[in-house]
Amino acid sequence: MTTTPSILHPLRKLRWRIGWRGLLLTVLGLLTAVAVAALIFYFLWHARPAFWKQAQAQYHTDDAQQLGRQVDQAVLTEQKVISSLYGQPGRYTLTFTDADLNAWLAHRLHDWIEHSFSPKPPPMLANLGSVVVQIHEDRLLVALAYTHKKWEQVFTADFTILQRPDGQLIARANRILGGRLSIPIGPVAEGLEHFLREYDLEIWPPLSALRHGTPLDPRYPPNGWYDGRRWTIEAIKLIPQKVDLTLNVEDQHP
């Protein structure tokens, strides 16, 4: 009986050491997993779409000749739209490449925003950075940079755009990404709706239709402008790198 304590004492000491080592290894493993997850989240959140990075290199260049060609392309794209929407009533067929749209977004969008709001644009638009589109078959990708006081991010929205045989349009937001991380569409749509109501802005198509994929009225605005003019999208077709659009400009004056 006198030998039992001498045998149990080393065993208890060994178990105590193994227990603390196991606990320490467990804690270190959890900390490592958290650090790896945080690192993955950081890189995914700060990732930039390839087509957006390519556009930054193309449209923000120090080459004066290339820059001049882009500005000319942007102005021609704008004039094409203005001459159709505000020209004589009738049917207009327009074709835009994503290069046309991206040139306008790079060199004319911010001027348009500044001249549309007085004395200065609302913060959401004032903080808007580069906007880039990429056209696929029946799909449109829109990537935009946004700069806040404490952070900046590039968001990407993936839209499906179709036209039904009865002429109604289907435009649905499939997903929204911050970097490469998916963001719930609901809160984003609610935030934009609040912004539009706050600044009494009219947007087409309605955000609810983008969120739920419900049919859109192809007439804009449905009741016409103050001068009786109304635009109707009669046909829209997206193919890789290009969109074909047929507009009917109506004069509703009797």
Side-chain angles (χ1 to χ4, degrees):
M1 297 296 296
T2 57
T3 59
T4 301
S6 62
I7 295 175
L8 293 178
H9 181 70
L11 290 175
R12 291 172 180 169
K13 190 173 182 180
L14 179 61
R15 288 174 182 172
W16 180 83
R17 289 179 177 176
I18 293 175
W20 275 105
R21 288 178 180 176
L23 179 61
L24 180 61
L25 289 174
T26 301
V27 171
L28 289 175
L30 290 174
L31 291 175
T32 301
V34 170
V36 171
L39 189 62
I40 292 174
F41 177 87
Y42 175 86
F43 282 112
L44 291 177
W45 179 251
H46 288 86
R48 302 293 184 254
F51 74 96
W52 186 87
K53 292 192 294 185
Q54 182 180 359
Q56 303 317 295
Q58 179 178 355
Y59 294 101
H60 300 277
T61 176
D62 295 329
D63 188 327
Q65 291 185 346
Q66 182 178 352
L67 189 62
R69 288 193 296 268
Q70 293 172 8
V71 172
D72 291 341
Q73 185 178 18
V75 172
L76 288 174
T77 300
E78 185 173 286
Q79 290 176 346
K80 184 191 300 185
V81 174
I82 291 174
S83 63
S84 301
L85 297 182
Y86 299 99
Q88 294 295 321
R91 184 175 286 101
Y92 297 86
T93 300
L94 306 174
T95 297
F96 302 103
T97 65
D98 47 15
D100 294 331
L101 300 176
N102 286 328
W104 186 87
L105 290 169
H107 300 293
R108 297 293 297 163
L109 174 62
H110 288 86
D111 290 339
W112 178 81
I113 291 175
E114 290 180 2
H115 287 89
S116 298
F117 297 91
S118 178
K120 62 180 180 179
M124 181 175 285
L125 294 179
N127 296 334
L128 184 65
S130 299
V131 182
V132 180
V133 300
Q134 188 178 63
I135 304 173
H136 298 265
E137 186 173 0
D138 298 330
R139 290 175 58 238
L140 179 68
L141 298 180
V142 181
L144 61 88
Y146 188 80
T147 302
H148 194 263
K149 293 180 180 178
K150 298 182 179 180
W151 54 269
E152 61 181 27
Q153 181 57 288
V154 175
F155 297 96
T156 305
D158 182 350
F159 299 97
T160 295
I161 300 178
L162 300 169
Q163 189 165 31
R164 303 195 321 186
D166 61 3
Q168 289 186 311
L169 300 176
I170 302 293
R172 182 180 65 250
N174 300 312
R175 61 176 180 167
I176 299 176
L177 302 176
R180 292 183 181 175
L181 296 176
S182 181
I183 299 175
I185 296 176
V188 175
E190 291 173 3
L192 289 175
E193 287 174 351
H194 175 75
F195 165 77
L196 295 172
R197 287 194 301 267
E198 182 179 358
Y199 289 95
D200 194 26
L201 296 175
E202 186 176 10
I203 189 171
W204 185 92
L207 291 174
S208 59
L210 287 177
R211 183 178 177 183
H212 301 292
T214 53
L216 301 166
D217 190 335
R219 301 170 301 171
Y220 183 76
N223 298 322
W225 293 104
Y226 64 91
D227 62 354
R229 187 178 297 266
R230 185 174 64 193
W231 313 324
T232 300
I233 298 179
E234 292 191 345
I236 183 170
K237 183 179 181 181
L238 274 65
I239 59 177
Q241 300 182 339
K242 189 174 70 170
V243 56
D244 293 325
L245 186 67
T246 300
L247 290 175
N248 186 19
V249 180
E250 305 170 58
D251 187 350
Q252 301 179 94
H253 285 122

